[in-house]
Amino acid sequence: MESSKNEENSAEGEEKSYNQRLDKFREDWRQELTQTAVPSLSTDDTEKAKDLFYRGSQAESKGFLHEAVRFYRQAIQLVPDIEFLISSGQEIDGAVDKRRTVKNHSNEDTSGEIPDLVARFQKLLIPEGYLCRAEYDQKMAHISLLPMEILLYLFKWVISADLDLRSLEQLSLVCRGFYLCARDPELWRLACQRVWGICTPGNYGSWRNMYLQRRPRLRYDGAYISKTTYVRDGENSFQDHCYRPWHLVEYFRYVRFFPDGIVLMLTTPDHPQTALGNLVNRKPRHSAVLVGRYYLRSRSESVLVILKRSNKPETGGTHQHYLKRHCYRTGDDDGEQTFQIELRVKDLKQKSNYKLVWMQYTIRTVYKNGTENTSEFELTDNMFPPFWFSRVRSYTAESNMPLY
């Protein structure tokens, strides 16, 4: 009995000594973490690392993976955590320890201190270590478990190659984490470069401000519609020589722009409910749809549209009359026609890029016998009214490829 008691006492003593040593080790570890100094980063190194990281991102988006890896490696050698700092939107300060910053953020009051909503959400979410979380218990994996890189890739699919940024803004209303993802500079950089080519934010301050404020810019989630109405005299019938009929002619012009520079134009008496379906694809099936290219002109805040007609459209009745007067040549010589149209992009109150006003309209016809003819129209308000933008939900209902 005495031997068993001695063994129990010795075991309790060893366990107590083990717990004391473990507590001492934990205390020393905490002190070591709090006293460890983080090496400072110079401003030049951080700026170089940012520039190298952005260059690597551009090279990766273009498919030059070897060059992208080289730029990423150089950036990480200067600042090891450059990717985290850029993706989270934090400003890099060489004299500030990140762990202390995160700790201080969790203790500070956020009511009215930070006017910038992005910085305010970062201040709330970064200490927690997640962008979003499920409100209720989930039996399946929640989207909050995905890393930020995967979420941003999903956001690129939402925007798609057709620049459906309206859906991106709606997605940002889901939660604070989605709001931060929707404000990621990389998404807006790709959108700006898809519209204007290689460019920099410059005086706009950010890629998003550049996309919203730079002119001219077109809208891609719908079509621009112009309605023309005029009255023309008709012919008397053989039964009534005293009555002279008049006809009210009404037709529409539809223009749809794509981010890759393709433009479609359709002139038809059909109303929007019927005609807008002909402009869904870049290669339309309707023979009357003209396909061409457009070019943005920054100085005049206008867009130059160049269209060509290779097939002769079907004509008949009032349709033939307005095509003959204003759109196409309907003679026996089936020549090739090139339409050159310049339209000024304007805002309408709070609706940006909502209106297109005619500035120039020229048709150049090359006949089979080699002769050419150039016609320039007088742009009157009644025959060439402005285009008004109308959003078409079916144009952005599906995403064929992500933003690149």
Side-chain angles (χ1 to χ4, degrees), residues 46-64:
T46 56
E47 293 298 329
K48 290 180 181 178
K50 277 199 234 178
D51 181 64
L52 290 171
F53 189 87
Y54 285 133
R55 292 173 65 182
S57 178
Q58 293 178 2
E60 183 181 1
S61 64
K62 296 179 181 178
F64 304 120

mmCIF file with all atom_site columns, all heavy atoms in Angstrom, residues 46-64:
data_model
loop_
_atom_site.group_PDB
_atom_site.id
_atom_site.type_symbol
_atom_site.label_atom_id
_atom_site.label_alt_id
_atom_site.label_comp_id
_atom_site.label_asym_id
_atom_site.label_entity_id
_atom_site.label_seq_id
_atom_site.pdbx_PDB_ins_code
_atom_site.Cartn_x
_atom_site.Cartn_y
_atom_site.Cartn_z
_atom_site.occupancy
_atom_site.B_iso_or_equiv
_atom_site.pdbx_formal_charge
_atom_site.auth_seq_id
_atom_site.auth_comp_id
_atom_site.auth_asym_id
_atom_site.auth_atom_id
_atom_site.pdbx_PDB_model_num
ATOM 1   N N   . THR A 1 46 ? 9.372  48.969 -51.386 1.00 0.00 ? 46 THR A N   1
ATOM 2   C CA  . THR A 1 46 ? 7.949  48.656 -51.516 1.00 0.00 ? 46 THR A CA  1
ATOM 3   C C   . THR A 1 46 ? 7.392  49.118 -52.855 1.00 0.00 ? 46 THR A C   1
ATOM 4   O O   . THR A 1 46 ? 6.587  48.427 -53.476 1.00 0.00 ? 46 THR A O   1
ATOM 5   C CB  . THR A 1 46 ? 7.161  49.311 -50.370 1.00 0.00 ? 46 THR A CB  1
ATOM 6   O OG1 . THR A 1 46 ? 7.421  50.714 -50.361 1.00 0.00 ? 46 THR A OG1 1
ATOM 7   C CG2 . THR A 1 46 ? 7.560  48.724 -49.034 1.00 0.00 ? 46 THR A CG2 1
ATOM 8   N N   . GLU A 1 47 ? 7.800  50.291 -53.307 1.00 0.00 ? 47 GLU A N   1
ATOM 9   C CA  . GLU A 1 47 ? 7.327  50.778 -54.603 1.00 0.00 ? 47 GLU A CA  1
ATOM 10  C C   . GLU A 1 47 ? 7.831  49.891 -55.729 1.00 0.00 ? 47 GLU A C   1
ATOM 11  O O   . GLU A 1 47 ? 7.099  49.582 -56.672 1.00 0.00 ? 47 GLU A O   1
ATOM 12  C CB  . GLU A 1 47 ? 7.771  52.226 -54.817 1.00 0.00 ? 47 GLU A CB  1
ATOM 13  C CG  . GLU A 1 47 ? 7.117  53.228 -53.882 1.00 0.00 ? 47 GLU A CG  1
ATOM 14  C CD  . GLU A 1 47 ? 5.615  53.270 -54.066 1.00 0.00 ? 47 GLU A CD  1
ATOM 15  O OE1 . GLU A 1 47 ? 5.148  53.035 -55.190 1.00 0.00 ? 47 GLU A OE1 1
ATOM 16  O OE2 . GLU A 1 47 ? 4.914  53.530 -53.075 1.00 0.00 ? 47 GLU A OE2 1
ATOM 17  N N   . LYS A 1 48 ? 9.098  49.460 -55.633 1.00 0.00 ? 48 LYS A N   1
ATOM 18  C CA  . LYS A 1 48 ? 9.632  48.557 -56.660 1.00 0.00 ? 48 LYS A CA  1
ATOM 19  C C   . LYS A 1 48 ? 8.893  47.219 -56.637 1.00 0.00 ? 48 LYS A C   1
ATOM 20  O O   . LYS A 1 48 ? 8.591  46.646 -57.685 1.00 0.00 ? 48 LYS A O   1
ATOM 21  C CB  . LYS A 1 48 ? 11.125 48.333 -56.421 1.00 0.00 ? 48 LYS A CB  1
ATOM 22  C CG  . LYS A 1 48 ? 11.993 49.550 -56.713 1.00 0.00 ? 48 LYS A CG  1
ATOM 23  C CD  . LYS A 1 48 ? 13.460 49.240 -56.452 1.00 0.00 ? 48 LYS A CD  1
ATOM 24  C CE  . LYS A 1 48 ? 14.336 50.458 -56.717 1.00 0.00 ? 48 LYS A CE  1
ATOM 25  N NZ  . LYS A 1 48 ? 15.766 50.168 -56.421 1.00 0.00 ? 48 LYS A NZ  1
ATOM 26  N N   . ALA A 1 49 ? 8.602  46.738 -55.430 1.00 0.00 ? 49 ALA A N   1
ATOM 27  C CA  . ALA A 1 49 ? 7.889  45.463 -55.328 1.00 0.00 ? 49 ALA A CA  1
ATOM 28  C C   . ALA A 1 49 ? 6.482  45.568 -55.914 1.00 0.00 ? 49 ALA A C   1
ATOM 29  O O   . ALA A 1 49 ? 6.004  44.652 -56.592 1.00 0.00 ? 49 ALA A O   1
ATOM 30  C CB  . ALA A 1 49 ? 7.824  45.031 -53.861 1.00 0.00 ? 49 ALA A CB  1
ATOM 31  N N   . LYS A 1 50 ? 5.805  46.685 -55.640 1.00 0.00 ? 50 LYS A N   1
ATOM 32  C CA  . LYS A 1 50 ? 4.469  46.881 -56.220 1.00 0.00 ? 50 LYS A CA  1
ATOM 33  C C   . LYS A 1 50 ? 4.530  46.898 -57.742 1.00 0.00 ? 50 LYS A C   1
ATOM 34  O O   . LYS A 1 50 ? 3.721  46.266 -58.417 1.00 0.00 ? 50 LYS A O   1
ATOM 35  C CB  . LYS A 1 50 ? 3.889  48.205 -55.718 1.00 0.00 ? 50 LYS A CB  1
ATOM 36  C CG  . LYS A 1 50 ? 3.243  48.130 -54.362 1.00 0.00 ? 50 LYS A CG  1
ATOM 37  C CD  . LYS A 1 50 ? 2.339  49.325 -54.198 1.00 0.00 ? 50 LYS A CD  1
ATOM 38  C CE  . LYS A 1 50 ? 2.671  50.060 -52.951 1.00 0.00 ? 50 LYS A CE  1
ATOM 39  N NZ  . LYS A 1 50 ? 1.857  51.258 -52.743 1.00 0.00 ? 50 LYS A NZ  1
ATOM 40  N N   . ASP A 1 51 ? 5.496  47.649 -58.274 1.00 0.00 ? 51 ASP A N   1
ATOM 41  C CA  . ASP A 1 51 ? 5.619  47.756 -59.727 1.00 0.00 ? 51 ASP A CA  1
ATOM 42  C C   . ASP A 1 51 ? 5.922  46.387 -60.347 1.00 0.00 ? 51 ASP A C   1
ATOM 43  O O   . ASP A 1 51 ? 5.324  46.004 -61.362 1.00 0.00 ? 51 ASP A O   1
ATOM 44  C CB  . ASP A 1 51 ? 6.719  48.756 -60.070 1.00 0.00 ? 51 ASP A CB  1
ATOM 45  C CG  . ASP A 1 51 ? 6.890  48.923 -61.575 1.00 0.00 ? 51 ASP A CG  1
ATOM 46  O OD1 . ASP A 1 51 ? 5.944  49.404 -62.225 1.00 0.00 ? 51 ASP A OD1 1
ATOM 47  O OD2 . ASP A 1 51 ? 7.961  48.571 -62.093 1.00 0.00 ? 51 ASP A OD2 1
ATOM 48  N N   . LEU A 1 52 ? 6.810  45.622 -59.740 1.00 0.00 ? 52 LEU A N   1
ATOM 49  C CA  . LEU A 1 52 ? 7.137  44.295 -60.264 1.00 0.00 ? 52 LEU A CA  1
ATOM 50  C C   . LEU A 1 52 ? 5.934  43.359 -60.182 1.00 0.00 ? 52 LEU A C   1
ATOM 51  O O   . LEU A 1 52 ? 5.686  42.551 -61.089 1.00 0.00 ? 52 LEU A O   1
ATOM 52  C CB  . LEU A 1 52 ? 8.322  43.714 -59.486 1.00 0.00 ? 52 LEU A CB  1
ATOM 53  C CG  . LEU A 1 52 ? 9.676  44.383 -59.721 1.00 0.00 ? 52 LEU A CG  1
ATOM 54  C CD1 . LEU A 1 52 ? 10.704 43.865 -58.728 1.00 0.00 ? 52 LEU A CD1 1
ATOM 55  C CD2 . LEU A 1 52 ? 10.164 44.138 -61.148 1.00 0.00 ? 52 LEU A CD2 1
ATOM 56  N N   . PHE A 1 53 ? 5.178  43.462 -59.089 1.00 0.00 ? 53 PHE A N   1
ATOM 57  C CA  . PHE A 1 53 ? 4.008  42.587 -58.941 1.00 0.00 ? 53 PHE A CA  1
ATOM 58  C C   . PHE A 1 53 ? 2.956  42.908 -60.002 1.00 0.00 ? 53 PHE A C   1
ATOM 59  O O   . PHE A 1 53 ? 2.364  41.996 -60.586 1.00 0.00 ? 53 PHE A O   1
ATOM 60  C CB  . PHE A 1 53 ? 3.422  42.757 -57.538 1.00 0.00 ? 53 PHE A CB  1
ATOM 61  C CG  . PHE A 1 53 ? 2.350  41.763 -57.217 1.00 0.00 ? 53 PHE A CG  1
ATOM 62  C CD1 . PHE A 1 53 ? 2.664  40.524 -56.697 1.00 0.00 ? 53 PHE A CD1 1
ATOM 63  C CD2 . PHE A 1 53 ? 1.016  42.066 -57.446 1.00 0.00 ? 53 PHE A CD2 1
ATOM 64  C CE1 . PHE A 1 53 ? 1.677  39.585 -56.403 1.00 0.00 ? 53 PHE A CE1 1
ATOM 65  C CE2 . PHE A 1 53 ? 0.026  41.147 -57.154 1.00 0.00 ? 53 PHE A CE2 1
ATOM 66  C CZ  . PHE A 1 53 ? 0.357  39.908 -56.634 1.00 0.00 ? 53 PHE A CZ  1
ATOM 67  N N   . TYR A 1 54 ? 2.694  44.189 -60.256 1.00 0.00 ? 54 TYR A N   1
ATOM 68  C CA  . TYR A 1 54 ? 1.721  44.571 -61.276 1.00 0.00 ? 54 TYR A CA  1
ATOM 69  C C   . TYR A 1 54 ? 2.185  44.139 -62.668 1.00 0.00 ? 54 TYR A C   1
ATOM 70  O O   . TYR A 1 54 ? 1.381  43.706 -63.496 1.00 0.00 ? 54 TYR A O   1
ATOM 71  C CB  . TYR A 1 54 ? 1.473  46.072 -61.239 1.00 0.00 ? 54 TYR A CB  1
ATOM 72  C CG  . TYR A 1 54 ? 0.625  46.520 -60.079 1.00 0.00 ? 54 TYR A CG  1
ATOM 73  C CD1 . TYR A 1 54 ? 0.997  47.602 -59.289 1.00 0.00 ? 54 TYR A CD1 1
ATOM 74  C CD2 . TYR A 1 54 ? -0.563 45.870 -59.755 1.00 0.00 ? 54 TYR A CD2 1
ATOM 75  C CE1 . TYR A 1 54 ? 0.227  48.009 -58.211 1.00 0.00 ? 54 TYR A CE1 1
ATOM 76  C CE2 . TYR A 1 54 ? -1.342 46.268 -58.692 1.00 0.00 ? 54 TYR A CE2 1
ATOM 77  C CZ  . TYR A 1 54 ? -0.944 47.339 -57.919 1.00 0.00 ? 54 TYR A CZ  1
ATOM 78  O OH  . TYR A 1 54 ? -1.702 47.740 -56.861 1.00 0.00 ? 54 TYR A OH  1
ATOM 79  N N   . ARG A 1 55 ? 3.491  44.280 -62.922 1.00 0.00 ? 55 ARG A N   1
ATOM 80  C CA  . ARG A 1 55 ? 4.013  43.839 -64.224 1.00 0.00 ? 55 ARG A CA  1
ATOM 81  C C   . ARG A 1 55 ? 3.866  42.331 -64.376 1.00 0.00 ? 55 ARG A C   1
ATOM 82  O O   . ARG A 1 55 ? 3.553  41.823 -65.463 1.00 0.00 ? 55 ARG A O   1
ATOM 83  C CB  . ARG A 1 55 ? 5.462  44.254 -64.361 1.00 0.00 ? 55 ARG A CB  1
ATOM 84  C CG  . ARG A 1 55 ? 5.662  45.765 -64.477 1.00 0.00 ? 55 ARG A CG  1
ATOM 85  C CD  . ARG A 1 55 ? 7.124  46.165 -64.444 1.00 0.00 ? 55 ARG A CD  1
ATOM 86  N NE  . ARG A 1 55 ? 7.839  45.657 -65.608 1.00 0.00 ? 55 ARG A NE  1
ATOM 87  C CZ  . ARG A 1 55 ? 9.149  45.840 -65.805 1.00 0.00 ? 55 ARG A CZ  1
ATOM 88  N NH1 . ARG A 1 55 ? 9.862  46.523 -64.911 1.00 0.00 ? 55 ARG A NH1 1
ATOM 89  N NH2 . ARG A 1 55 ? 9.727  45.357 -66.874 1.00 0.00 ? 55 ARG A NH2 1
ATOM 90  N N   . GLY A 1 56 ? 4.083  41.597 -63.295 1.00 0.00 ? 56 GLY A N   1
ATOM 91  C CA  . GLY A 1 56 ? 3.875  40.157 -63.342 1.00 0.00 ? 56 GLY A CA  1
ATOM 92  C C   . GLY A 1 56 ? 2.427  39.799 -63.583 1.00 0.00 ? 56 GLY A C   1
ATOM 93  O O   . GLY A 1 56 ? 2.119  38.855 -64.318 1.00 0.00 ? 56 GLY A O   1
ATOM 94  N N   . SER A 1 57 ? 1.509  40.561 -62.972 1.00 0.00 ? 57 SER A N   1
ATOM 95  C CA  . SER A 1 57 ? 0.080  40.305 -63.188 1.00 0.00 ? 57 SER A CA  1
ATOM 96  C C   . SER A 1 57 ? -0.316 40.560 -64.635 1.00 0.00 ? 57 SER A C   1
ATOM 97  O O   . SER A 1 57 ? -1.095 39.802 -65.222 1.00 0.00 ? 57 SER A O   1
ATOM 98  C CB  . SER A 1 57 ? -0.738 41.182 -62.242 1.00 0.00 ? 57 SER A CB  1
ATOM 99  O OG  . SER A 1 57 ? -2.117 40.995 -62.455 1.00 0.00 ? 57 SER A OG  1
ATOM 100 N N   . GLN A 1 58 ? 0.216  41.636 -65.225 1.00 0.00 ? 58 GLN A N   1
ATOM 101 C CA  . GLN A 1 58 ? -0.079 41.921 -66.625 1.00 0.00 ? 58 GLN A CA  1
ATOM 102 C C   . GLN A 1 58 ? 0.470  40.831 -67.539 1.00 0.00 ? 58 GLN A C   1
ATOM 103 O O   . GLN A 1 58 ? -0.194 40.402 -68.487 1.00 0.00 ? 58 GLN A O   1
ATOM 104 C CB  . GLN A 1 58 ? 0.499  43.286 -67.009 1.00 0.00 ? 58 GLN A CB  1
ATOM 105 C CG  . GLN A 1 58 ? -0.172 44.457 -66.307 1.00 0.00 ? 58 GLN A CG  1
ATOM 106 C CD  . GLN A 1 58 ? 0.469  45.781 -66.686 1.00 0.00 ? 58 GLN A CD  1
ATOM 107 O OE1 . GLN A 1 58 ? 1.391  45.833 -67.493 1.00 0.00 ? 58 GLN A OE1 1
ATOM 108 N NE2 . GLN A 1 58 ? -0.011 46.857 -66.084 1.00 0.00 ? 58 GLN A NE2 1
ATOM 109 N N   . ALA A 1 59 ? 1.695  40.382 -67.252 1.00 0.00 ? 59 ALA A N   1
ATOM 110 C CA  . ALA A 1 59 ? 2.278  39.319 -68.076 1.00 0.00 ? 59 ALA A CA  1
ATOM 111 C C   . ALA A 1 59 ? 1.495  38.023 -67.953 1.00 0.00 ? 59 ALA A C   1
ATOM 112 O O   . ALA A 1 59 ? 1.283  37.298 -68.939 1.00 0.00 ? 59 ALA A O   1
ATOM 113 C CB  . ALA A 1 59 ? 3.738  39.090 -67.675 1.00 0.00 ? 59 ALA A CB  1
ATOM 114 N N   . GLU A 1 60 ? 0.990  37.716 -66.753 1.00 0.00 ? 60 GLU A N   1
ATOM 115 C CA  . GLU A 1 60 ? 0.197  36.508 -66.563 1.00 0.00 ? 60 GLU A CA  1
ATOM 116 C C   . GLU A 1 60 ? -1.130 36.581 -67.313 1.00 0.00 ? 60 GLU A C   1
ATOM 117 O O   . GLU A 1 60 ? -1.584 35.600 -67.891 1.00 0.00 ? 60 GLU A O   1
ATOM 118 C CB  . GLU A 1 60 ? -0.056 36.297 -65.076 1.00 0.00 ? 60 GLU A CB  1
ATOM 119 C CG  . GLU A 1 60 ? -0.810 35.013 -64.759 1.00 0.00 ? 60 GLU A CG  1
ATOM 120 C CD  . GLU A 1 60 ? -1.056 34.850 -63.288 1.00 0.00 ? 60 GLU A CD  1
ATOM 121 O OE1 . GLU A 1 60 ? -0.664 35.750 -62.507 1.00 0.00 ? 60 GLU A OE1 1
ATOM 122 O OE2 . GLU A 1 60 ? -1.638 33.814 -62.894 1.00 0.00 ? 60 GLU A OE2 1
ATOM 123 N N   . SER A 1 61 ? -1.775 37.768 -67.315 1.00 0.00 ? 61 SER A N   1
ATOM 124 C CA  . SER A 1 61 ? -3.043 37.909 -68.029 1.00 0.00 ? 61 SER A CA  1
ATOM 125 C C   . SER A 1 61 ? -2.873 37.766 -69.531 1.00 0.00 ? 61 SER A C   1
ATOM 126 O O   . SER A 1 61 ? -3.801 37.369 -70.228 1.00 0.00 ? 61 SER A O   1
ATOM 127 C CB  . SER A 1 61 ? -3.668 39.275 -67.702 1.00 0.00 ? 61 SER A CB  1
ATOM 128 O OG  . SER A 1 61 ? -2.840 40.335 -68.172 1.00 0.00 ? 61 SER A OG  1
ATOM 129 N N   . LYS A 1 62 ? -1.670 38.081 -70.047 1.00 0.00 ? 62 LYS A N   1
ATOM 130 C CA  . LYS A 1 62 ? -1.411 37.954 -71.478 1.00 0.00 ? 62 LYS A CA  1
ATOM 131 C C   . LYS A 1 62 ? -0.899 36.562 -71.862 1.00 0.00 ? 62 LYS A C   1
ATOM 132 O O   . LYS A 1 62 ? -0.684 36.297 -73.040 1.00 0.00 ? 62 LYS A O   1
ATOM 133 C CB  . LYS A 1 62 ? -0.412 39.017 -71.927 1.00 0.00 ? 62 LYS A CB  1
ATOM 134 C CG  . LYS A 1 62 ? -0.935 40.443 -71.777 1.00 0.00 ? 62 LYS A CG  1
ATOM 135 C CD  . LYS A 1 62 ? 0.129  41.444 -72.210 1.00 0.00 ? 62 LYS A CD  1
ATOM 136 C CE  . LYS A 1 62 ? -0.383 42.875 -72.049 1.00 0.00 ? 62 LYS A CE  1
ATOM 137 N NZ  . LYS A 1 62 ? 0.635  43.877 -72.425 1.00 0.00 ? 62 LYS A NZ  1
ATOM 138 N N   . GLY A 1 63 ? -0.661 35.709 -70.865 1.00 0.00 ? 63 GLY A N   1
ATOM 139 C CA  . GLY A 1 63 ? -0.215 34.360 -71.157 1.00 0.00 ? 63 GLY A CA  1
ATOM 140 C C   . GLY A 1 63 ? 1.285  34.156 -71.102 1.00 0.00 ? 63 GLY A C   1
ATOM 141 O O   . GLY A 1 63 ? 1.766  33.050 -71.347 1.00 0.00 ? 63 GLY A O   1
ATOM 142 N N   . PHE A 1 64 ? 2.060  35.201 -70.730 1.00 0.00 ? 64 PHE A N   1
ATOM 143 C CA  . PHE A 1 64 ? 3.518  35.078 -70.635 1.00 0.00 ? 64 PHE A CA  1
ATOM 144 C C   . PHE A 1 64 ? 3.884  34.625 -69.220 1.00 0.00 ? 64 PHE A C   1
ATOM 145 O O   . PHE A 1 64 ? 4.290  35.428 -68.366 1.00 0.00 ? 64 PHE A O   1
ATOM 146 C CB  . PHE A 1 64 ? 4.196  36.394 -70.990 1.00 0.00 ? 64 PHE A CB  1
ATOM 147 C CG  . PHE A 1 64 ? 3.819  36.930 -72.342 1.00 0.00 ? 64 PHE A CG  1
ATOM 148 C CD1 . PHE A 1 64 ? 3.206  38.167 -72.482 1.00 0.00 ? 64 PHE A CD1 1
ATOM 149 C CD2 . PHE A 1 64 ? 4.063  36.186 -73.482 1.00 0.00 ? 64 PHE A CD2 1
ATOM 150 C CE1 . PHE A 1 64 ? 2.849  38.664 -73.723 1.00 0.00 ? 64 PHE A CE1 1
ATOM 151 C CE2 . PHE A 1 64 ? 3.714  36.667 -74.737 1.00 0.00 ? 64 PHE A CE2 1
ATOM 152 C CZ  . PHE A 1 64 ? 3.109  37.901 -74.859 1.00 0.00 ? 64 PHE A CZ  1
#
